[in-house]
Amino acid sequence: MTNSERLALGLIVIGVLSRLIPHPPNVTAVVGVSLLGAYAIRTPWLAALIPVAVMALADLALGWHGSALFTYAGMLAGALIGRGLLRQLSVLRLGSAAFLTSLAFFLISNFGVYLGGYYGFGLDGLVACYVAAIPFWGLSLVGDLGSTAILFALFVLARRFVERDPGAAAARL
């Protein structure tokens, strides 16, 4: 594992652990950690697996929920979107990837909620489920865009620091 990958792993763990501190509903770093893994970890299956595995560990502390597998599927969608859009990093590409991943996560995770049966199992139940989730997506989008910006800013800045003077950086740790 390279220094950049280790740095990304540390930021992914911090991003996921931020779920353990009080936060507004749905304002989490799920999308940010998915995209950072996709961008910074070279091996594609590790780029997808690491954020999901760290999220699953945090879910052990928070408690399991019936649609957790759909949460992880949404994260995997983020890894695929990130691998496709973030080959070259730019603000536009990062913002687009964060928005698309947030939308994919919304669609996938709320489909899991729909399958729970609370809204019924017909088309009207599916529509009702997504309509009821729209206000939550507003908060999620804030968390998704914000966490992506923060995690990538920290990653880019820290990577420059480590690459500029690796010996000094290691001595400080």
Side-chain angles (χ1 to χ4, degrees), residues 24-164:
N26 291 10
V27 179
T28 64
V30 172
V31 166
V33 299
S34 297
L35 291 174
L36 184 60
Y39 174 73
I41 298 173
R42 290 181 185 174
T43 308
W45 66 271
L46 278 177
L49 178 66
I50 287 174
V52 170
V54 174
M55 183 69 70
L57 289 174
D59 282 344
L60 289 175
L62 292 171
W64 189 259
H65 53 90
S67 60
L69 295 178
F70 290 88
T71 298
Y72 306 146
M75 294 179 73
L76 293 175
L80 290 173
I81 290 167
R83 296 298 275 193
L85 285 178
L86 299 177
R87 290 187 180 128
Q88 289 185 315
L89 190 60
S90 73
V91 172
L92 179 61
R93 284 177 176 267
L94 187 58
S96 298
F99 179 82
L100 289 173
T101 300
S102 184
L103 178 60
F105 188 86
F106 170 82
L107 293 172
I108 294 167
S109 64
N110 283 295
F111 187 71
V113 171
Y114 163 73
L115 290 178
Y118 179 79
Y119 295 96
F121 291 107
L123 181 60
D124 57 334
L126 180 63
V127 170
C129 179
Y130 281 115
V131 168
I134 289 172
F136 297 101
W137 187 43
L139 287 173
S140 294
L141 192 56
V142 168
D144 296 342
L145 296 174
S147 70
T148 300
I150 291 168
L151 287 169
F152 273 81
L154 290 172
F155 178 76
V156 168
L157 289 172
R159 188 173 62 179
R160 285 183 185 163
F161 176 73
V162 168
E163 289 174 357
R164 183 179 309 137

